[in-house]
Amino acid sequence: MAPQLAWLGLGNMGRGMCKNLVEKGNLSHPLIIYNRTVQRAHDLSQKIGNSTVSESIPDIVSKADIIFYCLGDDSSVLDMVDTVLQNDVAGKILVDCSTVHPEATSKQADMIEARGASFVACPVFGAPAMADAGQLVCVLAGKVEAVDRVKPYCKGVMGRENIDFSGQEPRKATLLKIIGNTFVANMITALSEGHVLAEKTGLGVEELHKLIEVMFPGPYTAYSNRLKSGDYYQRDEPLFAVDLARKDARHAMALAESAGCRMKDVELADSYLKVVKDTQGAKGDIAGIYGAKRLESGLKFENQ
């Protein structure tokens, strides 16, 4: 019998992932959606079809076989898991697509498996536009049997590729995710320095962008476009919120310290992210590193 799927939490990534589960997941039952702001769940359900809204966690747990969730930070994830586990979860699979510290992943696995359920860590790489397009990279880890039941909803549905750690500790997935996210912060810092120097030396950012398009297509070109267009500060809702970016940076720096090393590039990126937070507050975006670099260099935060 095909499993009943459910989704908890509707941030920028979750909405796109739900859309693709409905459109490409070959679901035999409507996707059950839960969000703390119930109207957001109703709005999404109406938009994507083949879904229903549950207004309580006990209700969604009683009906679902596989429960996906994607929340913003470690405390939110652990609090939600604790609430879920107040219900009978025996035989169910809980799938965490959030970006959390590997210790939080291990804690979830212990809590969930102690209640007779299975746990799969499934953090994803990609921006919200990639989530909407089903182009994420899914990193799966946990017991083989549970991962095998989740895989059909990853590559070809929510994502374009899987990185498969089947049979390995779930924390391996979030360890890779945290390290991988440092590349994003470091990339934006490098782009920001290049854009500022191109502007201040008279080369011009458009001329620099031509090189980036030719030599570094993909994420570098996408973020370069965000910088030069002013998108890094003009959004009402950030694509990658500064608070979440700083959370990931803290996790990376803590992991490095515990391993006896340092991530100096991440330390630099986080210093710029602090300026973004101070300048733009909660609406700040990781791409605002460019604005912070501009301020440091005697320019205005905004480039328009």
Side-chain angles (χ1 to χ4, degrees):
M1 181 180 295
Q4 170 68 67
L5 269 58
W7 190 281
L8 301 177
L10 295 177
N12 285 339
M13 301 293 286
R15 293 192 293 271
M17 295 164 82
C18 285
K19 178 180 80 72
N20 284 293
L21 282 173
V22 165
E23 291 180 356
K24 297 182 286 185
N26 296 315
L27 303 185
S28 297
H29 315 283
L31 176 68
I32 306 173
I33 303 171
Y34 170 84
N35 193 64
R36 186 172 56 182
T37 304
V38 178
Q39 189 57 49
R40 179 175 285 190
H42 282 292
D43 291 344
L44 179 67
S45 179
Q46 185 176 20
K47 180 179 179 181
I48 65 177
N50 196 27
S51 58
T52 61
V53 174
S54 176
E55 298 191 3
S56 75
I57 288 180
D59 177 67
I60 206 170
V61 173
S62 70
K63 296 175 179 176
D65 302 304
I66 301 176
I67 302 171
F68 291 86
Y69 50 99
C70 186
L71 303 173
D73 57 41
D74 301 45
S75 61
S76 297
V77 168
L78 292 172
D79 287 347
M80 190 278 298
V81 169
D82 186 62
T83 301
V84 168
L85 294 182
Q86 293 174 24
N87 305 275
D88 181 10
V89 296
K92 300 180 186 293
I93 301 175
L94 276 69
V95 186
D96 185 14
C97 299
S98 315
T99 301
V100 297
H101 193 287
E103 289 181 3
T105 300
S106 295
K107 186 172 183 179
Q108 288 182 77
D110 291 344
M111 293 166 61
I112 290 166
E113 290 172 2
R115 294 295 304 275
S118 298
F119 175 71
V120 174
C122 184
V124 296
F125 286 101
M130 294 173 68
D132 196 60
Q135 292 296 300
L136 298 171
V137 174
C138 304
V139 187
L140 296 124
K143 292 180 179 176
V144 173
E145 297 81 1
V147 172
D148 283 346
R149 291 189 65 193
V150 174
K151 280 182 187 177
Y153 308 107
C154 295
K155 183 178 179 180
V157 180
M158 295 189 295
R160 63 179 173 84
E161 193 56 76
N162 293 340
I163 297 177
D164 189 355
F165 292 162
S166 295
Q168 299 191 50
E169 290 295 321
R171 70 184 304 275
K172 285 284 191 73
T174 42
L175 181 57
L176 179 64
K177 172 61 172 168
I178 293 296
I179 294 173
N181 272 12
T182 68
F183 297 168
V184 178
N186 295 341
M187 173 185 65
I188 296 168
T189 301
L191 284 169
S192 298
E193 290 184 330
H195 273 247
V196 167
L197 185 59
E199 179 174 343
K200 298 204 72 170
T201 59
L203 171 66
V205 297
E206 291 292 346
E207 286 69 20
L208 176 65
H209 184 73
K210 292 174 184 177
L211 170 67
I212 294 167
E213 284 184 308
V214 172
M215 290 293 295
F216 308 108
Y220 274 84
T221 295
Y223 270 102
S224 181
N225 272 316
R226 292 197 65 197
L227 303 192
K228 73 186 185 71
S229 69
D231 181 76
Y232 68 93
Y233 71 89
Q234 293 174 343
R235 290 179 173 270
D236 292 329
E237 184 177 357
L239 289 180
F240 191 159
V242 63
D243 289 335
L244 300 184
R246 295 202 73 196
K247 176 260 297 181
D248 292 352
R250 287 193 300 272
H251 286 343
M253 291 184 288
L255 286 166
E257 182 178 7
S258 67
C261 59
R262 288 177 63 183
M263 302 196 81
K264 292 186 178 181
D265 287 347
V266 178
E267 293 170 14
L268 175 61
D270 187 55
S271 72
Y272 290 133
L273 288 169
K274 182 180 185 302
V275 176
V276 176
K277 175 68 173 180
D278 292 343
T279 304
Q280 292 207 296
K283 68 171 287 188
D285 187 289
I286 191 172
I289 286 173
Y290 179 42
K293 182 64 185 180
R294 289 174 59 84
L295 286 176
E296 180 189 74
S297 305
L299 301 170
K300 291 174 59 178
F301 188 94
E302 302 85 359
N303 68 341
Q304 301 293 324

